[in-house]
Amino acid sequence: MTATPHNPSDAEARRLLDAARRSAPGVGESIGPYRLVEEIGRGGHSAVFRAEQLAPVRRQVAVKVLTDPAPSANVAIRFARERSVVARLRHPGIVPLIDAGEVGPPDAATPWFAMPLVDGESADRWCERVRASRAVRLRVIELAARAVAAAHAMGIVHRDLKPGNIMVAGSPADPQVHVIDFGVAKLLDPGIEGGDGLSTRVGGIVGTPEFMSPEQGNLEVDRVGPASDVYALGLVACVLLGGSIPGARSGAERSSRPMGERLRAAADRESPVISQLAADRSLRGEIDWIIAKACSREIGARYANAGALADDLARLREGQPIVAAPKDSGYAGLYALRRYRGPIAGVAVALAAIIGALAFIVSRESARAESEAARNQRLSALLETARVQLTPLTGKNRGDVVDDEKAIPLVEMMYRINVELLGTEANETQQSALVLARSYDRVDRFAEAEPLYRGLLDRAIAQGRKGDQAYLRFMLGGSLRRMGVTRAAEARQILEDALAYWQTLPNPLPATCGALLERAFVAGLEDKLDEQREFLERGIACTEATAQEGHIRRREALGFMGDFLRARGDFAAARDYYGRALAGFSPDSDLLGRRWHDSWRGELLWMDREEARKAGVEFDSAREAEFEAIVDALRKRDPTNMRLKHWAP
């Protein structure tokens, strides 16, 4: 019996034809210059293929294609938005878009886009395969957070961060981390191209419930922001470090649970304690604190964005104190003991001796009436021993003043010991108060330095010590100036008082030069440019009279004038001052020398690059590389440095 061929109606034929037209390309077919070789991933509405580009260059790429034969408006919009978002993001941890288009008839075209092929695995599988250490797993999380931070800086929230969307390649010594799949990203600025309000539609379920923040689980779309991605990264850390999602069931059980139940579990999830989740006591402390902060139920208690999380992970990796530590944990003091265990070992011995001596003295005071002179002599010797132990922590050639935030607790400790044992009026106590105030200044804690300076100044005034009054006014004025324009008028008056005294002396002092330069900076805050230049010139003349040729004080003053002229657009004159500051200068003299050398050399290169740009000529590649190296070094040392802002393209 012969089968009767099926002859569809015209309407059915058109339907079949439309469906055929809408069928997405498959393996073996071509999209533009790319031949699809292998399907490497598939979602609900799209697929990713490994593809081969034959012309104009031969290479392997990844092509993502919308596969839904009849996509809804939301699906099509999200695919288009993902393409737009990826096209705008530029970061080593985000795979860039290299091509995009549509394939098929104009009335039924299938959108696609191409990216470089990343030969990696999901973060959890990679960590297991290479048997990654805890340090490597933390590094993977840090690098993923850096990539997400780049999206946050562009006003983009990923909303579906999970191990499967963090691809890792390379070796444990050099993991290559890429964040992928921005298909459900939220655009914080509705005016951004590709933003159409879809991302803020109330009730929309986007993301994977097991990695959702409480606000996502509650479908509070308006509250979803960068901190929601931070929460998801914290849960990713739980998987990589502890092996599971807090409160979640196994993969098979998860897939069978109703969506409403999965969302409620996300909304009600308590902040995880990784050391308990992993049953690993060694995770207690800093790692517990970082993940607890990232996964706080309260949005405001989390890291503000992924960059802040990455910064804290970097501090942990580099042995720096983390910001996630509870304020009442005594962490700062404990950290100082751990960070400086060598120098502090001696301090601990000295402090133990002090405490022991104090107890001994107090217990025998009434019985033996030890003389005050002998008591003070013993205490002074003990304090001197402790002070000597601090020497390895102090800035070079700066007495006991420290330049490191981590050493501040030790200086505070010495000050409190002096107050307790000798009283606030003792000379040693006053000296330690000055050391502490200057140390606060060195690490930009100006509000804490101010009351110490004022107390010291009041005492110098009461005792009629005019030289000390001038010096303390110089220090206080500089500290107030660094607080900004709101304290400029007060700083100006205090510095003028110091200069008025020093002008009565036959010869200038080094502090006089510093006060003149501080006075110039105050004029800059007040936008009095002629006055600023006058005080800079006076400061330069002062340093030439008080410091030898090549001394760092002379170089600093010349560099400040170079900064002033560069900011005014007088590049020729600025080059002269920067050149004089750099003449015969070894950047390896000390940390301060390296900082100034890089700053001034960077300014020279930046001005040359700006002039080349304005002239429409290409800047020398070798000098561009030198400039970028200086920028990278400065960013690592001081990411808030103002030079980085004006050097930015």
Side-chain angles (χ1 to χ4, degrees):
M1 180 176 178
T2 305
T4 303
H6 175 61
N7 295 314
S9 66
D10 289 344
E12 186 179 10
R14 282 195 297 272
R15 181 183 63 78
L16 293 172
L17 178 60
D18 286 345
R21 285 175 173 173
R22 288 183 178 274
S23 295
V27 172
E29 298 181 57
S30 294
I31 294 180
Y34 312 105
R35 184 175 66 85
L36 306 184
V37 176
E38 175 188 12
E39 183 176 310
I40 56 177
R42 179 172 288 269
H45 305 285
S46 62
V48 180
F49 295 87
R50 180 171 63 85
E52 187 174 47
Q53 181 179 358
L54 302 177
V57 294
R58 191 181 186 94
R59 59 177 170 174
Q60 298 282 309
V61 300
V63 175
K64 187 166 187 176
V65 183
L66 184 62
T67 57
D68 196 325
S72 67
N74 285 352
V75 170
I77 288 170
R78 281 182 177 149
F79 189 92
R81 185 173 57 215
E82 180 182 12
R83 192 164 64 177
S84 174
V85 165
V86 175
R88 294 191 304 109
L89 289 173
R90 292 289 182 272
H91 188 272
I94 298 175
V95 183
L97 183 141
I98 57 176
D99 200 359
E102 296 180 342
V103 61
D107 61 338
T110 298
W112 60 271
F113 60 94
M115 302 169 289
L117 182 65
V118 176
D119 187 19
E121 303 169 83
S122 65
D124 52 345
R125 291 179 181 174
W126 182 88
C127 287
E128 289 303 310
R129 182 178 63 80
V130 303
R131 298 182 180 180
S133 66
R134 179 184 303 164
V136 171
R137 291 168 191 255
L138 287 168
R139 181 63 172 157
V140 167
I141 300 163
E142 179 188 344
L143 293 172
R146 291 286 180 210
V148 176
H152 288 171
M154 297 286 289
I156 297 165
V157 181
H158 190 285
R159 293 203 297 184
D160 194 19
L161 291 168
K162 55 187 177 183
N165 283 338
I166 299 172
M167 304 299 291
V168 187
S171 68
D174 185 26
Q176 307 299 311
V177 179
H178 294 88
V179 175
I180 63 171
D181 199 352
F182 285 79
V184 296
K186 176 180 179 179
L187 307 179
L188 299 178
D189 181 358
I192 295 176
E193 180 185 356
D196 57 349
L198 175 67
S199 60
T200 57
R201 180 171 55 83
V202 176
I205 299 175
V206 291
T208 304
E210 286 66 35
F211 289 90
M212 283 183 178
S213 61
E215 62 271 19
Q216 282 180 281
N218 277 323
L219 302 183
E220 297 172 289
V221 183
D222 290 339
R223 299 183 70 211
V224 173
S228 304
D229 280 351
V230 168
Y231 189 99
L233 286 167
L235 294 183
V236 170
C238 289
V239 173
L240 299 191
L241 296 170
S244 63
I245 310 167
R249 302 181 185 179
S250 66
E253 291 178 299
R254 285 201 303 268
S255 61
S256 63
R257 294 173 72 189
M259 180 59 71
E261 184 179 343
R262 295 168 69 189
L263 290 172
R264 281 194 299 274
D268 296 337
R269 183 190 292 116
E270 293 297 327
S271 298
V273 180
I274 184 63
S275 60
Q276 296 177 6
L277 181 70
D280 186 348
R281 294 170 60 90
S282 68
L283 291 169
R284 291 182 178 180
E286 292 158 309
I287 296 176
D288 256 343
W289 294 336
I290 288 174
I291 294 178
K293 184 174 179 64
C295 293
S296 172
R297 287 188 56 82
E298 298 298 322
I299 295 175
R302 297 175 206 156
Y303 296 99
N305 52 49
L309 169 60
D311 288 343
D312 231 10
L313 289 168
R315 293 185 191 98
L316 178 65
R317 174 170 51 83
E318 295 170 357
Q320 306 294 324
I322 63 169
V323 301
K327 301 302 181 187
D328 58 351
S329 65
Y331 173 71
L334 291 173
Y335 174 82
L337 289 172
R338 183 182 67 189
R339 176 71 173 84
Y340 294 110
R341 59 171 55 91
I344 293 178
V347 176
V349 171
L351 289 179
I354 293 171
I355 294 170
L358 178 61
F360 175 78
I361 291 169
V362 170
S363 66
R364 298 184 58 185
E365 188 74 29
S366 58
R368 306 185 68 172
E370 184 177 58
S371 71
E372 189 70 16
R375 175 179 181 272
N376 287 342
Q377 183 177 5
R378 291 182 61 189
L379 289 175
S380 296
L382 289 168
L383 285 171
E384 177 64 16
T385 300
R387 188 194 68 77
V388 170
Q389 297 299 326
L390 280 172
T391 301
L393 308 180
T394 60
K396 186 176 181 180
N397 297 325
R398 294 182 189 167
D400 290 331
V401 178
V402 302
D403 297 279
D404 193 326
E405 178 77 40
K406 298 181 294 298
I408 292 292
L410 296 178
V411 185
E412 292 172 329
M413 178 178 63
M414 295 302 299
Y415 172 64
R416 286 194 295 268
I417 290 172
N418 276 294
V419 171
E420 180 71 22
L421 300 183
L422 303 178
T424 57
E425 296 301 309
N427 288 335
E428 282 197 54
T429 303
Q430 295 292 303
Q431 180 63 33
S432 66
L434 178 59
V435 169
L436 180 56
R438 293 183 62 199
S439 297
Y440 281 146
D441 248 349
R442 297 288 187 192
V443 296
D444 298 342
R445 291 166 61 174
F446 310 120
E448 294 168 272
E450 180 182 358
L452 290 169
Y453 282 136
R454 289 193 182 279
L456 291 165
L457 178 58
D458 289 345
R459 188 168 186 265
I461 292 172
Q463 295 179 350
R465 293 183 281 110
K466 293 186 177 181
D468 289 345
Q469 292 174 39
Y471 175 78
L472 290 166
R473 285 191 172 104
F474 157 52
M475 297 302 297
L476 174 60
S479 193
L480 293 173
R481 187 272 301 175
R482 287 185 282 277
M483 293 186 193
V485 67
T486 59
R487 309 298 297 272
E490 190 178 359
R492 170 169 29 86
Q493 185 57 58
I494 289 172
L495 290 168
E496 289 286 2
D497 290 344
L499 290 169
Y501 169 74
W502 278 323
Q503 286 170 355
T504 66
L505 303 180
N507 298 307
L509 303 172
T512 311
C513 310
L516 289 167
L517 294 172
E518 287 290 356
R519 185 65 183 81
F521 299 145
V522 171
L525 287 176
E526 297 176 323
D527 204 26
K528 299 177 180 178
L529 302 185
D530 290 342
E531 186 177 285
Q532 183 179 7
R533 181 162 191 162
E534 174 196 347
F535 277 101
L536 283 172
E537 290 172 345
R538 289 174 61 185
I540 291 171
C542 181
T543 60
E544 290 175 345
T546 59
Q548 295 179 347
E549 183 73 30
H551 194 282
I552 189 62
R553 288 204 306 271
R554 294 181 69 163
R555 296 184 187 279
E556 287 175 340
L558 293 168
F560 293 147
M561 180 63 87
D563 292 341
F564 172 81
L565 295 167
R566 184 263 306 152
R568 306 281 77 76
D570 189 350
F571 286 4
R575 280 194 187 90
D576 176 61
Y577 279 96
Y578 286 137
R580 289 165 61 189
L582 286 167
F585 188 31
S586 170
D588 299 322
S589 56
D590 54 27
L591 182 60
L592 181 64
R594 166 60 67 181
R595 185 187 72 182
W596 282 127
H597 181 278
D598 286 357
S599 297
W600 300 328
R601 179 61 182 162
E603 293 289 6
L604 288 171
L605 292 167
W606 178 82
M607 289 188 293
D608 290 346
R609 190 179 70 169
E610 280 296 288
E611 291 186 337
R613 182 182 61 82
K614 291 177 181 178
V617 299
E618 186 174 354
F619 189 49
D620 179 74
S621 59
R623 304 182 76 211
E624 176 70 29
E626 181 186 359
F627 178 68
E628 291 300 329
I630 289 174
V631 170
D632 288 343
L634 183 57
R635 186 178 290 115
K636 290 178 181 177
R637 286 197 303 268
D638 183 9
T640 63
N641 194 293
M642 294 299 293
R643 293 186 196 273
L644 294 173
K645 294 184 177 180
H646 93 79
W647 284 351

